[in-house]
Amino acid sequence: RDRRAGYQAASAQSPEVNLVWTGPALASVRARSTTGVLLELIEKARSEVIIVGYVLTDGAAAVFQALAAAQQRRVRITIASDQLEQNLNVLRSHWPTGQRLPELYTRPASPLDGKSALHAKLAIADSRRMLVTSANLTYHGLAGNIEIGLVVTGQPVTEVVELLGALIAAGELIPLAIV
């Protein structure tokens, strides 16, 4: 009986990991689509969604619309992107007029390495479920390319949220001043 309780406690803390991908329809592939998982993650969020990505384009219009709808449900939306100033027009063009933009963060350019970037691509809902993917928020990342990702639940999600907070506190991610 004690072993069973210990096993159940350990199982509850163990991360769950599932394959996600973008690519051509193959009957032999049992993984869910990147777009489907991302939209579900946003739609089921109750308190917060964090998006980290390298580039945003019009090809992710459905994602931006889902994020705006989540914000209307009082879900806190945070987006961190490399060179966000360049991606801001895309986000604005898909955000409802009169609705405030999400909290926006970017990585300042490094004076030591002009090619360094915020290259991570992930989405986190309610600090409980996370999509980690090679897919950018672009048409090709969500539909045209072959991309691989994982949906993770459990302790690693909490650790990534803490890491992002530490990056903000250290000034590695800075709020974007919107004009």
Side-chain angles (χ1 to χ4, degrees), residues 12-29:
Q13 295 175 12
S14 297
E16 181 180 327
V17 180
N18 293 294
L19 179 63
V20 173
W21 86 307
T22 300
L26 300 174
S28 61
V29 176

Side-chain angles (χ1 to χ4, degrees), residues 59-112:
V63 173
F64 304 136
Q65 291 165 1
L67 289 167
Q71 187 185 59
Q72 290 171 353
R73 295 190 323 266
R74 300 187 192 277
V75 173
R76 178 181 173 192
I77 308 296
T78 304
I79 299 175
S81 177
D82 198 71
Q83 302 174 12
L84 187 55
E85 300 89 347
Q86 297 172 15
N87 296 317
L88 188 55
N89 287 336
V90 170
L91 183 60
R92 279 187 170 136
S93 71
H94 295 284
W95 210 256
T97 304
Q99 184 173 327
R100 68 177 166 76
L101 287 171
E103 293 179 38
L104 302 172
Y105 289 86
T106 194
R107 182 170 186 221
S110 169
L112 304 175

Side-chain angles (χ1 to χ4, degrees), residues 13-161:
Q13 295 175 12
S14 297
E16 181 180 327
V17 180
N18 293 294
L19 179 63
V20 173
W21 86 307
T22 300
L26 300 174
S28 61
V29 176
R30 297 176 53 198
R32 294 187 56 208
S33 76
T34 302
T35 302
V37 168
L38 181 56
L39 292 174
E40 177 185 274
L41 189 140
I42 295 166
E43 290 164 3
K44 288 187 174 182
R46 295 293 162 242
S47 61
E48 181 178 41
V49 173
I50 301 169
I51 301 287
V52 179
Y54 179 69
V55 66
L56 315 173
T57 71
D58 292 331
V63 173
F64 304 136
Q65 291 165 1
L67 289 167
Q71 187 185 59
Q72 290 171 353
R73 295 190 323 266
R74 300 187 192 277
V75 173
R76 178 181 173 192
I77 308 296
T78 304
I79 299 175
S81 177
D82 198 71
Q83 302 174 12
L84 187 55
E85 300 89 347
Q86 297 172 15
N87 296 317
L88 188 55
N89 287 336
V90 170
L91 183 60
R92 279 187 170 136
S93 71
H94 295 284
W95 210 256
T97 304
Q99 184 173 327
R100 68 177 166 76
L101 287 171
E103 293 179 38
L104 302 172
Y105 289 86
T106 194
R107 182 170 186 221
S110 169
L112 304 175
D113 183 355
K115 292 188 177 191
S116 66
L118 172 57
H119 203 251
K121 296 140 191 117
L122 56 96
I124 302 170
D126 301 329
S127 296
R128 295 182 32 223
R129 192 167 183 226
M130 173 174 64
L131 169 63
V132 180
T133 179
S134 62
N136 283 304
L137 289 181
T138 65
Y139 164 78
H140 286 98
L142 299 175
N145 290 347
I146 294 175
E147 305 281 357
I148 304 285
L150 299 170
V151 176
V152 180
T153 59
Q155 184 63 28
V157 181
T158 303
E159 293 171 7
V160 171
V161 171

